[in-house]
């Protein structure tokens, strides 16, 4: 109860520093009415037994057996841990420093053995810190050295008392200290407090909103010192954001009760009467606790926290049995039964046992009929939601059967319907499963569609092969193109490329390339169709053709002056030279052309329009005259 009405937050870290093994250890336990934190530092070199861990677990173990904040009990915790270390010292003597804190969430008491430390901060400032059991601390107490020199003094590790000491074990146990909202505690081993001083701890706390942030800041400060060797370091922060508020009148009630008992003892005397008075006190405490626990249970019901309400009602019933209040016990049993049914229903939902959850909710609704101390509409809502879960799982099962039968369209319809209902009722687990099922259906449907299209493409490709074999190249190209589109759609790249090669072959068969005349290669960079016709080798140019004016003939090229007319071609009597035409670069000059003497300028003739009639056929006499220059 105290824990539920307070807020204590713990954060810690423990690192080995520059070493392989970490000989520090931290542990804690929080119970309903009391809590304990333990930090320890191993001081021996045993390679098999971790003395810090053994000591801390021993303290926590004895605390859990008999939890208490009393000075006597805390001393017993430390003494038991001390004896455990002595008993386990087989190879070397085990020894450890240890600090323990125990709180009832309203007050705190601590114990120290060695030089692990506890700091308390209040309102962001250091309130106090524990004292080491070392020679350096003794020198500070005797005012032999300044307190500021303690953390770096050479005798700070010269311990006068610690767990496992062969001498008399004398741990320090503090008195009970009151707690206030916002108090902060820091447990630290020497690896931390030697390098991070209280001022730096206080500065880091100013910006920290939670224990983890503060601990990380302290670690950054420690590592920023850039020491060549970093010792094991452990720190644990406890933020007491809210403490348990006790009844201010309770203390006076206890004082009055004790005074009354003492008065009765003084008047009547006798051990029997004392026993009866103690029994009466126990019954009175139980009666008070009965009503307190029942009130707490009702508050938890209002908050819909049924597990905590169940525990509170159980505690109230136990108290009712102590005071032998049968009527109140019977009422509490009724509340316990209803609450237990609700808790069982919620548990069944978490375990996905929805039919069982419906059964529990139905019984709970029946039990709470006509009562106003339970939230009946809320339980009805739980029942309706669970019914939706059952329907979702039923539709999912129907979809699974269709999926197994390869009816993917039918399975998808059931899955979609179930998923829609799961989303409407916030059925997260069911919606996730159905989304996975829908993905599986989509995958199956995609695979089937791909297989079908692959078969269609193969069929078209085969038709193209048949058309190609029958020299129906146009039909082959059409079939290949359709097959290629299908392959492209389903992403079968190797088939797309293969069909592309078949299309190319069919197009070559359908439109073969033009073949140039024998002995005449096509000009590079031009097609056969665009090349000008070649002049035959022995072909003679027309008679009296005038070369271009002032144009120098290229080297090794004969100008077309006074070319001999072709045989059997009629030459006109007074032939007129044709209009000036340049000889194309690629034209072959006939071998029978006459070349003018070197340095002789080509004759110039007036340009006249060409005759419309074709030239007459030349006779031998005219042919001889045409050869004369």
């Amino acid at each position: 109860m105290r824990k539920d009405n307070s807020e204590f937050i713990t954060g810690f870290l423990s690192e080995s520093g520059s070493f392989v093994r970490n000989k520090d250890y931290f542990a804690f336990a929080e119970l309903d009415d009391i809590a304990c934190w333990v930090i320890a530092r191993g001081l021996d070199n045993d390679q098999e037994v971790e003395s810090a861990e053994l000591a801390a677990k021993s303290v926590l173990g004895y605390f859990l057996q008999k939890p208490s904040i009393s000075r006597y009990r805390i001393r017993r915790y430390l003494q038991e841990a001390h004896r455990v270390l002595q008993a386990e010292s087989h190879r070397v003597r085990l020894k450890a420093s240890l600090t323990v804190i125990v709180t009832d969430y309203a007050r705190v008491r601590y114990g120290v053995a060695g030089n692990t430390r506890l700091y308390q901060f209040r309102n962001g400032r250091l309130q106090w810190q524990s004292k080491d059991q070392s020679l350096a601390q003794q020198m500070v107490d005797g005012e032999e050295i300044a307190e500021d020199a303690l953390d770096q003094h050479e005798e700070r590790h010269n311990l006068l008392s610690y767990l496992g000491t062969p001498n008399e074990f004398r741990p320090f146990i503090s008195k009970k200290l009151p707690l206030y909202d916002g108090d902060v505690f820091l447990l630290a081993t020497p690896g931390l407090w030697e390098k991070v001083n209280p001022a730096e701890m206080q500065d880091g706390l100013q910006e920290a909103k939670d224990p983890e942030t503060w601990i990380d800041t302290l670690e950054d400060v420690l590592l920023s010192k850039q020491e060549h060797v970093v010792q094991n370091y452990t720190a644990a922060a406890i933020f007491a954001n809210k403490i348990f508020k006790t009844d201010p009148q309770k203390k006076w009630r206890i004082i009055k009760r004790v005074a009354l008992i003492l008065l009765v003892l003084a008047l009547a005397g006798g051990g029997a009467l004392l026993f009866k008075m103690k029994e009466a006190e126990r019954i009175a405490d139980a009666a008070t606790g009965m009503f307190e626990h029942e009130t707490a249970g009702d508050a938890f019901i209002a908050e819909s926290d049924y597990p905590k309400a169940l525990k509170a009602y159980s505690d109230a019933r136990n108290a009712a049995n102590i005071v032998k209040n049968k009527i109140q016990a019977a009422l509490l049993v009724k509340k316990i039964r209803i609450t237990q049914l609700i808790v069982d229903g919620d548990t069944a939902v978490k375990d996905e046992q929805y039919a069982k959850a419906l059964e529990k909710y139905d019984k709970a609704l029946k039990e709470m009929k006509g009562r106003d101390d339970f939230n009946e509409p809320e339980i009805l809502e739980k029942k309706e939601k669970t019914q939706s879960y059952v329907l979702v799982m039923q539709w999912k099962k129907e979809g699974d059967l269709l999926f197994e039968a390869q009816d993917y369209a039918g399975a998808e319809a059931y899955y979609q319907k179930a998923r829609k209902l799961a989303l409407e009722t916030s059925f997260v687990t069911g919606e996730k499963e159905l989304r996975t099922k829908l993905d599986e259906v989509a995958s199956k449907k995609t695979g089937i569609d791909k297989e079908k299209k692959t078969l269609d493409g193969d069929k078209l490709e085969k038709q193209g092969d048949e058309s190609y074999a029958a020299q129906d190249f146009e039909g082959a190209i059409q079939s290949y193109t359709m097959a290629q589109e299908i392959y492209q759609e389903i992403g079968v790249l190797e088939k797309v490329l293969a069909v592309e090669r078949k299309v190319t072959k069919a197009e070559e068969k359908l439109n073969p390339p033009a073949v140039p005349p024998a002995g005449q290669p096509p000009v590079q960079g031009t097609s056969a169709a665009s090349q000008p016709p070649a002049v035959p080798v022995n072909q003679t140019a027309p008679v009296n053709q005038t070369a271009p004016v002032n144009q120098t003939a290229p080297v090794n090229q004969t100008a077309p002056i006074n070319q001999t007319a072709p045989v059997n071609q009629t030459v006109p009597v007074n032939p007129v030279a044709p209009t000036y035409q340049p000889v194309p670069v690629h034209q072959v000059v006939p071998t029978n052309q006459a070349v003018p003497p070197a340095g002789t300028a080509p004759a110039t003739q007036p340009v006249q329009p060409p005759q419309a009639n074709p030239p007459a056929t030349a006779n031998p006499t005219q042919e001889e005259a045409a050869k004369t220059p």
Side-chain angles (χ1 to χ4, degrees):
M1 288 299 298
R2 286 174 174 262
K3 182 177 184 297
D4 295 334
N5 292 279
S6 59
E7 183 181 2
F8 282 66
I9 304 176
T10 303
F12 70 95
L13 64 82
S14 183
E15 299 294 340
S16 59
S18 302
F19 299 87
V20 176
R21 298 179 63 196
N22 186 0
K23 300 186 72 63
D24 292 351
Y25 195 81
F26 171 75
F28 68 101
E30 294 179 331
L31 306 180
D32 287 340
D33 296 319
I34 196 168
C36 177
W37 293 266
V38 184
I39 190 169
R41 164 69 175 165
L43 304 175
D44 55 76
N45 295 318
D46 195 296
Q47 299 297 316
E48 297 183 12
V49 179
E50 295 293 347
S51 55
E53 180 179 357
L54 183 60
K57 288 183 175 180
S58 298
V59 170
L60 272 183
Y62 287 108
F63 165 78
L64 293 173
Q65 289 179 12
K66 296 181 179 180
S68 175
I69 196 175
S70 69
R71 185 190 301 267
Y72 169 76
R73 283 296 176 192
I74 293 178
R75 189 183 301 275
R76 287 295 302 272
Y77 301 154
L78 296 176
Q79 288 174 344
E80 292 295 341
H82 169 64
R83 282 195 287 269
V84 168
L85 290 187
Q86 288 183 324
E88 294 295 328
S89 298
H90 303 302
R91 291 168 298 278
V92 298
R93 182 162 56 86
L94 301 179
K95 47 190 176 180
S97 291
L98 185 144
T99 299
V100 58
I101 311 175
V102 180
T103 180
D104 60 359
Y105 302 105
R107 298 161 300 174
V108 67
R109 193 193 297 273
Y110 69 92
V112 177
N115 62 351
T116 50
R117 287 188 184 176
L118 172 64
Y119 299 83
Q120 184 190 26
F121 296 83
R122 181 170 293 163
N123 298 323
R125 306 183 66 83
L126 179 63
Q127 186 77 3
W128 51 261
Q129 72 180 57
S130 62
K131 291 186 176 182
D132 302 338
Q133 291 187 308
S134 65
L135 181 59
Q137 182 68 59
Q138 192 178 66
M139 296 171 68
V140 170
D141 294 340
E143 299 182 354
E144 298 179 31
I145 61 173
E147 187 173 357
D148 295 342
L150 173 63
D151 292 354
Q152 302 300 323
H153 196 273
E154 60 181 358
E155 299 294 343
R156 64 186 181 278
H157 296 304
N158 187 354
L159 303 182
L160 304 178
S161 182
Y162 53 87
L163 296 174
T165 177
N167 304 319
E168 182 182 359
F169 179 57
R170 300 187 306 274
F172 170 80
I173 310 298
S174 74
K175 63 180 181 179
K176 283 184 183 178
L177 303 171
L179 290 177
Y180 296 91
D181 291 346
D183 281 355
V184 175
F185 293 92
L186 176 67
L187 288 163
T189 57
L192 184 92
W193 59 254
E194 285 180 345
K195 303 303 177 183
V196 183
N197 59 52
E200 292 170 326
M201 296 176 185
Q202 186 171 293
D203 291 341
L205 183 59
Q206 298 295 329
E207 303 296 330
K209 302 298 183 182
D210 52 67
E212 289 79 7
T213 304
W214 188 31
I215 292 298
D216 291 341
T217 302
L218 296 181
E219 184 181 29
D220 292 341
V221 172
L222 185 151
L223 298 178
S224 67
K225 304 298 177 68
Q226 297 183 353
E227 300 288 338
H228 293 292
V229 177
V230 179
Q231 300 293 332
N232 299 160
Y233 59 91
T234 299
I238 306 161
F239 278 35
N241 295 333
K242 177 185 177 184
I243 66 168
F244 179 74
K245 300 298 190 299
T246 58
D247 184 2
Q249 300 297 325
K250 184 177 179 181
K251 180 177 180 181
W252 293 108
R253 287 200 302 268
I254 294 174
I255 294 175
K256 290 178 181 179
R257 188 179 301 163
V258 172
L260 179 61
I261 293 172
L262 292 177
L263 178 60
V264 173
L265 288 176
L267 295 175
L273 183 58
L274 177 61
F275 173 77
K276 289 182 179 181
M277 293 303 297
K278 287 185 176 181
E279 181 67 16
E281 182 182 0
R282 186 175 73 88
I283 293 174
D285 289 339
T288 303
M290 177 183 66
F291 291 109
E292 289 179 351
H293 290 309
E294 185 177 8
T295 302
D298 293 340
F300 287 131
I301 289 294
E303 297 171 0
S304 300
D305 193 343
Y306 296 102
K308 289 183 179 179
L310 181 62
K311 184 179 183 306
Y313 288 149
S314 298
D315 292 340
R317 182 193 57 186
N318 295 335
N321 290 333
I322 292 174
V323 299
K324 299 179 180 181
N325 190 336
K326 295 181 180 181
I327 297 176
Q328 191 65 26
L331 294 174
L332 288 166
V333 166
K334 184 76 170 179
K335 287 186 175 183
I336 290 172
R337 184 164 60 248
I338 297 173
T339 309
Q340 184 68 62
L341 287 170
I342 298 172
V343 170
D344 291 344
D346 293 344
T347 304
V349 169
K350 290 181 181 178
D351 296 338
E352 300 181 7
Q353 299 176 0
Y354 304 116
K356 181 180 178 181
L358 279 177
E359 179 185 354
K360 298 296 182 181
Y361 290 147
D362 282 335
K363 289 183 178 180
L365 287 168
K366 185 178 179 181
E367 292 279 348
M368 70 175 66
K369 203 70 175 178
R371 301 177 64 104
D372 57 359
D373 50 355
F374 284 90
N375 191 348
E376 185 176 355
E378 181 184 9
I379 308 306
L380 280 171
E381 184 180 353
K382 287 177 178 285
K383 178 185 174 181
E384 292 172 358
K385 185 175 288 189
T386 306
Q387 288 174 333
S388 299
Y389 292 174
V390 171
L391 188 57
V392 167
M393 299 310 294
Q394 182 179 346
W395 286 343
K396 175 182 173 294
K397 186 176 180 180
E398 293 290 339
D400 291 342
L401 293 175
L402 292 174
F403 185 88
E404 292 175 1
Q406 297 184 358
D407 182 1
Y408 301 119
E412 184 179 22
Y414 270 105
Y415 290 152
Q416 289 284 14
K417 182 168 60 171
R419 182 169 181 261
K420 181 180 179 182
L421 182 57
L423 289 171
E424 291 174 354
T425 56
S426 302
F427 187 12
V428 179
T429 304
E431 191 276 333
K432 183 178 180 181
E433 293 179 3
L434 289 164
R435 190 167 62 247
T436 303
K437 288 293 183 180
L438 286 170
D439 291 342
E440 292 177 3
V441 169
S443 177
K444 288 290 185 181
K445 292 176 67 176
T446 301
I448 292 174
D449 185 61
K450 185 175 181 180
E451 291 177 1
K452 181 179 179 301
K453 289 186 177 181
T454 302
L455 292 175
D456 293 341
D458 292 344
K459 183 178 179 180
L460 288 169
E461 185 179 359
K462 186 177 180 181
Q463 290 178 0
D465 293 342
E466 292 174 353
S467 298
Y468 186 92
Q471 297 187 358
D472 179 8
F473 302 119
E474 289 185 0
I477 291 172
Q478 184 178 1
S479 298
Y480 287 150
T481 303
M482 293 171 64
Q484 190 178 33
E485 290 176 355
I486 293 175
Y487 293 148
Q488 185 74 35
E489 181 182 352
I490 61 178
V492 186
L493 182 60
E494 62 275 7
K495 286 186 174 289
V496 172
L497 297 177
V499 174
E500 180 66 28
R501 290 192 290 269
K502 290 184 178 182
V503 170
T504 303
K505 289 182 180 179
E507 288 177 345
E508 289 177 353
K509 291 291 185 180
L510 184 63
N511 300 307
V515 181
Q520 181 65 31
V523 178
Q524 184 177 3
T526 61
S527 63
S530 64
Q531 294 182 14
V535 180
V537 175
N538 295 322
Q539 183 175 345
T540 57
V543 180
N544 296 328
Q545 182 172 341
T546 305
V549 179
N550 298 328
Q551 180 174 344
T552 305
V555 181
N556 297 328
Q557 182 173 347
T558 306
I561 301 174
N562 299 326
Q563 295 179 353
T564 304
V567 181
N568 299 326
Q569 183 175 352
T570 304
V571 181
V573 177
N574 294 316
V576 180
T579 305
Y580 163 67
Q581 296 180 356
V583 179
V585 177
H586 60 271
Q587 182 173 345
V588 181
V589 180
T591 56
N592 294 330
Q593 291 180 356
V595 179
T600 304
T604 304
Q605 298 181 1
V607 179
Q608 297 181 4
Q611 296 180 359
N613 297 326
T617 303
N619 56 33
T621 305
Q622 292 173 335
E623 182 178 357
E624 185 64 26
K627 293 181 180 180
T628 304

